[in-house]
Amino acid sequence: MQKLYSIFTLSMLLASGTGAYAELVDISTPNSSLILNATKGERLMILHYGNPVDKMDLEALSKESGELVYPVYGLWPQNEAALSVTHADGNRTTDLTVESVSTSTTADKKVTTIQMKDPSYDLTVKANYLTREGSDVIETWVEITNNEPDAITLNRFMSGHLPIRKGDVWLTSFQGAWGNEGYIIEEPLLPGTKLIKNKDGVRNAQGARAEALFSIDGKASENSGRVIGAALCHHGNFKILIDTDYSDNHHFFAGINEENSEYHLAKGETFVTPPLAMAYSDEGIGGISRQFHRWGRDTRLHNGDKLRRILLNSWEGVYFNINEPVMEKMMADFSDMGGELFVMDDGWFGTKFQRDEPTALGDWIVDTRKLPHGLNGLIENASRHGLKFGLWIEPEMTDTKSVFFEKHPEYVIKAQNRQPVTARGGAQLVLDLSNPEVQDVIVNMVDTLLSNYPEIDYIKWDANAPIMEHGSQYLDADRQSHLYIDYHKGLENVLNRIRTAHPDVTIQTCASGGGRANWGILPWFDEFWTSDNTDALQRLYIQWGTSYFYPAIAMGSHISASPNHQTRRQIPIKFRADVAMSGRLGLELQPSQMTEEERKICKQAISDYKKVRHIVQLGDMYRLQSPFDNKGVASLMYVTPGKEEAVFFWWKADNNVGETNLRIPMAGLDPNKRYTIAELNRVGEEQLTFEGMTLTGNQLMAKGLEMPKGYTPYYSSRVLHLKAVE
Ligand code: DGJ
């Protein structure tokens, strides 16, 4: 049901069950309602989150007692809490009651703020809800202000809490690993506690991810059923806690992981939590994904409305074996295939210590042994081949083997009285971004690079180490617990300054692959490297899981060599290309080692991707057949917002004799439009029977098309371009 108003906050008084007057706050989006009872002097209660509620039904809701919006620790210490405070006088209990409700509105967004205060202490908590015109995503966060006579300690400080009524609620979460990011886990919510967490310090999306889906009506389905999706927008350690106790609700909490991170708040100081973005859909998990993709592209992803270039990244092609002639040959070959941007990965820098293996990080000076004409030489070559130029850096890290570290051992994260614990290559250390001096060093390094070489069009910003020991050489003894939080505040400061000076450079966030796929970091980045695993078959799974919350435009998706370097699997080039084309297309190989057939197909893929990139990168995604269902086929499609064009991907992920050839009904088209079908990326395959034909959206969505069966002994795949005819 579509409500007539889009962003609407209604504050109205209704007689409540207790005989008092309930002050209802209605935070509505086009297809959802969040109804709170914010009666002054009472605790803030949530009465409803889900389907849009008609004004006429509010009175009945006002009779319900609801659940606490932001449970605090101490008065019911047996329950899980969103906030736990040790007050200036040592009291560990907190109570919060509503003081006021206010709204602030700008052109296309509205923030509703409910201010609460502890009746016995000068502690104020503001719960904020941001809604945007036309979007169903609600962003919530809290601001905790200490006006007590002295410092207080925050022991837990979640961004939000949502009670979800028990029934047959299923949780979908992402519990991946390096090379297997975004792996989907679906499970019913049973009594007990489910904890999804990250404690890496830097790469907060490599294993578990900070997102969750709650399917209210049993196991999630793609296109139907009531689903709540939530994403914590934070790039540091996080905690998602779902407590299923004896009450009528599951209790979902999401926020910064407070473990070993208690935060001391000085008198007058305010702590602001990262936002928790939530959406409700009655169109299954697909509905949630499309909402998050749109919201993300429109409001969070850096330059989310600009088409991305097709790039060749040098890593899997040459690893550390960078040199000028090899780089130039890669550029020439890529340019012949129609490429647009050449990115030189790791291995280009180092003077006293050279980067021929994963050591010697930190001296961002060109290794003239490998590149005698410096970056200018490469930039000129790229431009001669009609390509833009990009570069790999890892600015948050250094190595013990670097001039930088020799000069500034005080800049690394290290506990007192201990030797630094090293990571990658036995030498890598994380810089202490809680230190403003370190922040300046990083900003200067990146700024100098981008200012000296304004032709640099793209940066791959890598981060390959966790925080290996809890210790800051900068923070005072009583603020050591701030490290995990202040590191990320420092990082935001760095990124803000770099982005203010260089808004147009495309920057990829990479963290040992997909370790930073999180909506917290993407306001400064244009995309993420989805995984270091470039095996096309496994990428179907990795990209599928990642697509639950992230749009294709943000997912670096590259064609790599066969056998694949991570899995040793051999996959035909057509399938590799067809998988890569479903994200932000790139290449990750040495073109001079490609066969003629591989070159031909890549050239075709690049040319065809240019025809449909606007649909893949800016369209709405409809997942059709999941590889996780083990049906041998995976399929998805993208449709332009006006439904004039679509791209349909079909991948035969397995091949068993005698198996049923699944027919895949399409989705997202206009049933009343007629679409002409043209196959993309076809090099030598038999023409499909429906090539060039025009079918109604209705037929395509009701029945789908008959795809070929067992086309090659291993993998086959097809990509179709659909265009509506007038
Ligand atoms: C890890 C990244 O995920 C890779 O793509 C590559 O850039 C290497 N680092 C380089 O050291």
Side-chain angles (χ1 to χ4, degrees):
M1 180 175 81
Q2 179 87 16
K3 289 185 89 163
L4 292 176
Y5 40 86
S6 54
I7 298 177
F8 187 75
T9 310
L10 168 84
S11 201
M12 65 191 300
L13 290 175
L14 285 167
S16 78
T18 61
Y21 280 92
E23 187 161 340
L24 297 196
V25 176
D26 177 355
I27 299 163
S28 284
T29 71
N31 301 293
S32 74
S33 287
L34 172 65
I35 313 285
L36 308 177
N37 180 351
T39 305
K40 291 197 184 66
E42 303 283 324
R43 299 185 179 105
L44 180 64
M45 306 303 277
I46 175 166
L47 301 180
H48 171 87
Y49 180 51
N51 59 286
V53 175
D54 195 282
K55 263 189 265 179
M56 293 199 299
D57 294 322
L58 284 175
E59 190 175 356
L61 262 183
S62 75
K63 308 282 178 207
E64 297 184 12
S65 50
E67 282 273 349
L68 288 166
V69 169
Y70 200 63
V72 286
Y73 181 79
L75 294 181
W76 301 270
Q78 63 274 38
N79 294 345
E80 286 294 342
L83 176 71
S84 161
V85 179
T86 305
H87 296 275
D89 63 1
N91 188 339
R92 295 185 72 97
T93 67
T94 299
D95 194 8
L96 293 176
T97 54
V98 174
E99 279 200 328
S100 60
V101 178
S102 59
T103 52
S104 73
T105 312
T106 52
D108 61 348
K109 56 184 183 198
K110 180 165 208 159
V111 179
T112 305
T113 301
I114 295 125
Q115 178 163 315
M116 296 171 278
K117 193 186 161 300
D118 190 316
S120 310
Y121 284 87
D122 274 334
L123 175 79
T124 307
V125 174
K126 287 182 182 168
N128 301 292
Y129 298 88
L130 187 154
T131 46
R132 297 171 196 269
E133 184 72 47
S135 170
D136 282 315
V137 175
I138 299 175
E139 293 160 52
T140 180
W141 70 98
V142 301
E143 293 165 45
I144 306 156
T145 303
N146 172 24
N147 287 317
E148 297 187 21
D150 211 339
I152 62 170
T153 302
L154 305 181
N155 307 306
R156 183 180 276 184
F157 28 87
M158 291 288 181
S159 293
H161 158 250
L162 193 67
I164 299 167
R165 186 72 176 202
K166 284 179 187 167
D168 188 12
V169 180
W170 280 61
L171 167 72
T172 303
S173 63
F174 308 90
Q175 307 277 352
W178 177 86
N180 194 18
E181 291 88 342
Y183 196 85
I184 296 169
I185 305 284
E186 291 178 301
E187 60 198 310
L189 278 179
L190 299 173
T193 299
K194 173 88 189 169
L195 177 64
I196 302 169
K197 58 154 177 42
N198 174 273
K199 300 206 279 184
D200 183 283
V202 176
R203 305 163 306 174
N204 81 346
Q206 195 178 45
R209 289 201 163 157
E211 293 112 28
L213 291 140
F214 299 94
S215 173
I216 314 289
D217 308 308
K219 197 167 178 214
S221 61
E222 187 59 42
N223 294 314
S224 63
R226 297 175 298 162
V227 181
I228 291 169
L232 181 74
C233 308
H234 176 54
H235 33 90
N237 291 354
F238 68 83
K239 183 177 259 186
I240 288 178
L241 182 75
I242 301 136
D243 187 40
T244 303
D245 58 12
Y246 46 78
S247 74
D248 290 337
N249 290 287
H250 305 281
H251 294 271
F252 162 63
F253 298 86
I256 292 178
N257 192 337
E258 79 284 2
E259 235 180 274
N260 288 310
S261 292
E262 61 276 12
Y263 212 85
H264 307 292
L265 211 55
K267 179 178 165 54
E269 226 185 318
T270 297
F271 184 92
V272 183
T273 71
L276 171 66
M278 310 184 301
Y280 164 83
S281 173
D282 59 9
E283 290 174 13
I285 47 175
I288 292 288
S289 296
R290 286 184 289 281
Q291 288 179 22
F292 269 91
H293 293 178
R294 261 181 254 132
W295 161 84
R297 279 192 308 251
D298 291 350
T299 73
R300 276 196 95 76
L301 183 67
H302 187 261
N303 282 337
D305 57 348
K306 298 212 167 61
L307 294 178
R308 309 303 198 236
R309 297 187 212 284
I310 302 165
L311 63 86
L312 168 67
N313 184 57
S314 68
W315 181 242
E316 286 193 24
V318 296
Y319 294 102
F320 291 106
N321 304 318
I322 298 274
N323 68 53
E324 206 174 277
V326 166
M327 295 293 98
E328 189 185 354
K329 178 77 172 77
M330 286 178 107
M331 291 176 192
D333 289 344
F334 187 47
S335 169
D336 280 352
M337 286 184 261
E340 298 168 331
L341 162 70
F342 175 77
V343 182
M344 177 169 63
D345 206 287
D346 202 348
W348 60 268
F349 49 87
T351 47
K352 179 173 169 190
F353 302 99
Q354 285 163 332
R355 178 86 169 162
D356 298 329
E357 51 178 358
T359 60
L361 200 68
D363 301 332
W364 301 104
I365 298 165
V366 177
D367 182 348
T368 45
R369 192 185 48 137
K370 297 177 181 176
L371 303 169
H373 301 101
L375 292 183
N376 277 332
L378 294 174
I379 289 168
E380 277 163 28
N381 285 341
S383 145
R384 220 161 7 90
H385 292 295
L387 300 173
K388 299 275 183 193
F389 180 74
L391 193 67
W392 179 96
I393 51 176
E394 193 170 1
E396 296 159 70
M397 315 266 161
T398 188
D399 265 42
T400 50
K401 280 192 195 168
S402 71
V403 177
F404 177 81
F405 179 70
E406 286 177 348
K407 280 197 192 147
H408 292 292
E410 76 282 13
Y411 283 169
V412 302
I413 287 180
K414 186 190 89 64
Q416 260 193 352
N417 303 320
R418 302 201 186 275
Q419 287 303 310
V421 182
T422 51
R424 193 182 186 203
Q428 187 157 331
L429 299 166
V430 182
L431 296 178
D432 188 350
L433 271 83
S434 71
N435 182 346
E437 234 174 85
V438 175
Q439 295 166 21
D440 291 347
V441 167
I442 298 176
V443 172
N444 288 340
M445 184 282 274
V446 179
D447 187 52
T448 306
L449 195 64
L450 292 175
S451 307
N452 288 352
Y453 303 98
E455 300 85 354
I456 293 178
D457 182 68
Y458 180 103
I459 289 280
K460 177 172 176 178
W461 179 303
D462 210 343
N464 288 300
I467 289 181
M468 299 290 285
E469 62 192 299
H470 190 149
S472 166
Q473 302 189 74
Y474 169 76
L475 294 168
D476 298 341
D478 65 347
R479 295 200 166 221
Q480 287 289 313
S481 61
H482 292 199
L483 176 64
Y484 284 106
I485 294 169
D486 286 0
Y487 180 93
H488 289 277
K489 285 187 182 172
L491 179 61
E492 291 196 4
N493 178 32
V494 165
L495 294 169
N496 278 333
R497 289 160 67 188
I498 292 171
R499 272 313 190 186
T500 306
H502 307 282
D504 297 329
V505 177
T506 303
I507 311 186
Q508 178 188 75
T509 172
C510 171
S512 313
R516 271 189 170 161
N518 178 280
W519 279 120
I521 200 88
L522 291 173
W524 298 277
F525 291 91
D526 303 75
E527 60 176 35
F528 51 81
W529 181 222
T530 314
S531 175
D532 271 345
N533 186 346
T534 57
D535 173 286
L537 181 64
Q538 214 175 336
R539 270 296 184 115
L540 280 184
Y541 294 82
I542 294 169
Q543 294 177 188
W544 197 271
T546 303
S547 81
Y548 275 33
F549 281 89
Y550 297 94
I553 191 172
M555 282 194 230
S557 174
H558 297 179
I559 303 169
S560 63
S562 179
N564 178 265
H565 291 194
Q566 292 78 39
T567 61
R568 311 308 300 161
R569 201 181 339 246
Q570 296 194 30
I571 295 185
I573 182 64
K574 158 87 175 136
F575 189 91
R576 281 181 273 148
D578 286 355
V579 171
M581 279 175 76
S582 68
R584 193 279 290 130
L585 176 66
L587 267 62
E588 183 86 24
L589 41 65
Q590 168 54 289
S592 65
Q593 288 166 5
M594 293 167 87
T595 62
E596 261 322 295
E597 192 210 10
E598 286 180 322
R599 271 169 197 270
K600 198 169 148 199
I601 292 185
C602 280
K603 193 169 183 169
Q604 174 90 42
I606 289 172
S607 147
D608 281 352
Y609 188 75
K610 288 175 185 169
K611 293 183 202 154
V612 295
R613 134 169 69 187
H614 63 287
I615 316 173
V616 173
Q617 296 187 2
L618 302 175
D620 288 324
M621 178 194 228
Y622 292 84
R623 286 179 299 257
L624 305 172
Q625 176 60 56
S626 169
F628 286 90
D629 289 347
N630 293 322
K631 300 266 194 223
V633 177
S635 178
L636 57 80
M637 64 193 291
Y638 298 96
V639 184
T640 54
K643 302 187 184 298
E644 313 86 356
E645 274 188 282
V647 206
F648 170 84
F649 290 90
W650 180 88
W651 303 282
K652 192 81 185 67
D654 207 340
N655 195 36
N656 296 307
V657 174
E659 73 187 348
T660 307
N661 193 17
L662 277 191
R663 197 127 172 173
I664 316 270
M666 296 189 184
L669 300 172
D670 181 339
N672 302 316
K673 281 193 162 69
R674 293 169 63 240
Y675 295 90
T676 305
I677 319 273
E679 185 173 7
L680 298 176
N681 224 5
R682 185 163 75 90
V683 190
E685 292 84 15
E686 202 175 311
Q687 185 171 300
L688 295 162
T689 51
F690 45 77
E691 172 74 31
M693 290 190 172
T694 301
L695 286 96
T696 61
N698 186 39
Q699 172 73 0
L700 291 166
M701 291 195 291
K703 195 163 164 71
L705 294 165
E706 182 73 335
M707 301 302 285
K709 192 171 177 173
Y711 160 72
T712 68
Y714 298 108
Y715 305 96
S716 65
S717 53
R718 299 288 180 138
V719 183
L720 308 177
H721 185 188
L722 283 71
K723 261 190 180 165
V725 290
E726 291 308 314

